[in-house]
Amino acid sequence: MKYINEYRDNVLVRKLSNKLRKYNDLDISLMEVCGGHTMAIHRFGIPSLLPKGIKLLSGPGCPVCVSSISFIDKAIAYSAIKNVIITTYGDLIRVPGSQSSLEKEKSKGADIRIVYSTLEALNIAKINQNKKVIFLGIGFETTAPASAVVIQKAYHENIQNFFLLSTHKIMPPVMEALLNEDVKIDGFICPGHVSTITGSKIYDFIPDKYKIACVVTGFEPTDLMQSIYMLAKQIHDKTPKVEIQYSRAVVKEGNVKAQKIMNEVFETRNDIWRGIGEIPDSGLKLREKYKEFDAELVFNIQFESKGENPACICGDILRGLKTPKDCNLFGKTCSPVNPVGACMVSSEGSCAAYYKYQNYDGFN
Amino acid sequence: MMDLINLNHGSGGKASQDLIKKIFIRSFGDPNGILSDSAILNIDSKKIAFTTDSFVIDPIFFPGGDIGKLAVCGTVNDISVSGAIPKFLSASFILEEGLLINDLKKIVVSMAKQAKLANIKIVTGDTKVVNKGKCDKIFINTTGVGIFEKEYNYISTGDKIEVGDKIIINGALGDHSIAVLGTRNELEFKIGVESDCACLNELIQVLLKADLKIRFMRDVTRGGLATVLNELSDIISLGVELDEKNIPVHESVNGLCEILGFDPLYLANEGKVLMVVHPNDAVKVVEIMRTHPLGKESKIIGEIVSDHPKMVVGKTEIGGKRIINMLQGEQLPRIC
């Protein structure tokens, strides 16, 4: 595939892998914040190409993993309302709430539909005017503009049966929260897609205030290998700064138009991150002007949310403080087929990845 | 003139008789034959292969096939990979009230065409009609019988597999999944991929007759290559190593997988067979496969190893390694 194969050149990857040997003495932990990076790292077997002293930690950038349990419970409660259609991106439907999942409710008869874009959700509302269509807005700065656009469209077209249940979140506050918690992070592999929208400027506070290295990274193997090299160099030379490796998509200022739409539609609020807890100003809710589209204001219903399994230590795992081996549920009541906690939900969450690798560590 | 299936077609009376005669017998059977309760088969074999499968798919027509073609090929392939020669098929239909009779005709004609191509006979069947909403347009069950000209017990069990044996696939992965996904109208663009749905019995028989050391065969359907190989490594307690850069995947399928976050190794196929072959014969098997229309893109994609028993490991295209697990639930498009 053109424009993909060039970034999967194994000769170039091997060169970068050899170049990294220069830093064989480093003992560092790099956090890939974004779930897409975690995915690519496992898919291409990146860890097997790194010096032993360079460890990769999976961060809180998998939107599915960090959605609060009460968000899922609320979506399930909405799905039980008569004449409501729930529209959602696909990977949310299997996430366990405190008692059920959207997938289970769908098989019981709830009208829950997987969509590929927010506009598709809006179309479902236009076609089903006698029903109320709720879109589950999930994701970071990458997907929030798409939700914002559709809300503006619904507003201008005066569509009255379309609503947003937002659990959109933004990246910088959670990265700062991790740094304040003494998690051992020597460098951030900063998210590529988020940064196309926000620009790299949102990470400037990290080297300034915390002296931690940052590289905005693309999603192909050569991108990841080059970024890891750039981070290792910054750490070795003690010159922490924000660099953009993913320069074919990201600029310092980002996509100003998308930022404008997002700010016009959303404002920040305190939000709960599954496994981590409440982080100030880390979530996005609709502004006053668009409150008629806010599912939480329109559908005032009671629902029961039991909270997370107290034995689950996903929070500590997400923060790099514990490993899945320390968890009493791991591999017993909690497995990829029947996940209890956040890190087992996404196929590339740390527990799920660990679950696959536990019997075999012969890669290095 | 009847144009929609209604409950009368399942009543057992005149309408049922007409439907059977005008649609099923006309396509599958002998119009002068007597309709009896059982088909009587002449089988010249001590051992037979016997399998059944039910087919439910939305949409019922898709690029490269339809539910009827799928129902014939699916069962023919299940028999063929056991080393048997498929001979007879039953076909049972559950029809939803309101189904277009024209669609049923198209499906039945398509089944008859595949049966002819695969040199098998559809000899018995059944039709039921259910109320609207009680099934999705049409469900088909086919049961097949195949005979063995030679015994191949080991070919299903993998008993003869040894370390160093090569893994071969007869072509590109994922076309069926992507063709069906494209037709479901969930994507707002055309993809131009056709399902690989096809009967593999001829290709397989050519290879078996060539007297090569084929140790194992399995058709690669739902769950994809990854799932078949995980099952294999589990039953033989050996490891499987895949060379991912050699795994054939069409560019258009790969592109869509990139967009949606699918892994082609987990996509369903309907015309793919995986073979494990002694290393001395592997190249020969690929050569023969490539001379057949269903094997033009055949490749050696990996081998059986003693490392990491019961695990499938992929050498990635960039030279890294990763564990390839069994499919955990349906693949879903990712947000990020």
Side-chain angles (χ1 to χ4, degrees), chain B residues 44-287:
Chain B
D44 191 16
S45 175
K46 273 190 185 162
K47 240 183 180 171
I48 61 166
F50 182 53
T51 185
T52 188
D53 210 339
S54 295
F55 297 82
V56 294
I57 187 168
D58 171 36
I60 54 176
F61 297 98
F62 47 85
D66 55 71
I67 189 170
K69 183 178 179 186
L70 208 57
V72 173
C73 297
T75 297
V76 163
N77 292 345
D78 280 347
I79 295 172
S80 305
V81 293
S82 70
I85 301 168
K87 288 286 179 190
F88 302 103
L89 226 57
S90 75
S92 283
F93 298 80
I94 294 176
L95 308 176
E96 185 189 16
E97 181 187 16
L99 175 74
L100 288 174
I101 300 237
N102 235 346
D103 282 352
L104 177 64
K105 269 189 199 157
K106 275 193 233 163
I107 289 164
V108 168
V109 167
S110 162
M111 291 177 81
K113 186 180 160 194
Q114 280 311 307
K116 197 171 171 204
L117 280 173
N119 200 21
I120 51 152
K121 286 201 168 74
I122 298 174
V123 289
T124 185
D126 180 48
T127 315
K128 295 282 184 292
V129 179
V130 296
N131 282 307
K132 194 155 185 69
K134 300 290 179 195
C135 92
D136 188 8
K137 297 182 198 72
I138 175 168
F139 295 162
I140 304 177
N141 169 279
T142 52
T143 296
V145 174
I147 59 160
F148 287 93
E149 287 190 344
K150 207 174 145 188
E151 274 201 33
Y152 293 107
N153 282 347
Y154 61 91
I155 233 158
S156 310
T157 60
D159 285 349
K160 286 196 177 177
I161 293 179
E162 287 169 359
V163 169
D165 285 354
K166 300 289 182 192
I167 296 163
I168 296 170
I169 188 87
N170 67 315
L173 298 177
D175 289 4
H176 176 71
S177 262
I178 296 297
V180 170
L181 183 76
T183 323
R184 275 187 200 151
N185 210 15
E186 288 163 357
L187 307 168
E188 289 175 8
F189 49 88
K190 294 256 175 283
I191 21 186
V193 176
E194 288 205 348
S195 166
D196 61 344
C197 180
C199 288
L200 293 163
N201 53 333
E202 190 185 71
L203 172 77
I204 288 170
Q205 279 305 314
V206 169
L207 286 163
L208 288 179
K209 283 187 178 135
D211 210 22
L212 298 158
K213 292 195 185 94
I214 296 170
R215 317 284 215 186
F216 177 82
M217 273 195 286
R218 189 64 68 81
D219 57 339
V220 185
T221 54
R222 280 180 307 165
L225 181 74
T227 301
V228 171
L229 287 175
N230 271 287
E231 284 167 4
L232 174 66
S233 68
D234 202 48
I235 54 172
I236 60 175
S237 295
L238 289 170
V240 169
E241 189 160 294
L242 281 182
D243 203 346
E244 291 193 43
K245 68 175 185 308
N246 284 338
I247 298 176
V249 180
H250 290 140
E251 185 123 313
S252 43
V253 171
N254 232 339
L256 208 77
C257 285
E258 288 295 332
I259 293 170
L260 297 176
F262 290 158
D263 187 335
L265 298 188
Y266 294 93
L267 295 179
N269 309 276
E270 290 294 341
K272 290 293 162 299
V273 57
L274 172 118
M275 293 194 180
V276 179
V277 180
H278 187 278
N280 292 349
D281 283 346
V283 174
K284 184 85 194 153
V285 165
V286 170
E287 277 172 10

Side-chain angles (χ1 to χ4, degrees), chain A residues 260-274:
Chain A
K260 213 177 134 197
I261 294 172
M262 210 168 98
N263 291 331
E264 211 268 317
V265 173
F266 290 113
E267 61 188 354
T268 58
R269 65 170 166 196
N270 297 353
D271 205 352
I272 295 168
W273 294 61
R274 192 168 193 170

Side-chain angles (χ1 to χ4, degrees), chain A residues 1 8 10 13 36 39 42-45 48-49 63 89-91 94 116 120 138 143 221 336-337 356 360 363, chain B residues 181 186-187 251 254-255 258 260 308 311 316-322 325 328-330 332-336:
Chain A
M1 255 176 302
R8 293 182 185 171
N10 63 357
V13 169
M39 203 16 240
H42 288 292
R43 173 168 169 203
F44 294 104
S48 65
L49 302 168
Y89 293 130
D91 35 4
R94 213 171 278 154
Y116 292 80
E120 200 184 330
I138 184 173
T143 54
V337 184
K356 289 182 196 172
Y360 185 61
F363 284 162
Chain B
L181 183 76
E186 288 163 357
L187 307 168
E251 185 123 313
N254 232 339
E258 288 295 332
L260 297 176
H308 52 80
M311 282 185 103
T316 67
E317 51 198 289
I318 60 156
K321 283 192 176 182
R322 64 158 175 162
N325 254 26
Q328 311 265 354
E330 217 181 324
L332 296 166
R334 284 200 325 271
I335 301 167
C336 65

Side-chain angles (χ1 to χ4, degrees), chain A residues 211-232:
Chain A
K211 310 286 173 240
I212 299 289
C214 286
V215 176
V216 178
T217 307
F219 295 87
E220 296 301 327
T222 50
D223 292 325
L224 284 156
M225 292 298 289
Q226 189 183 20
S227 284
I228 292 166
Y229 177 78
M230 289 162 83
L231 284 166

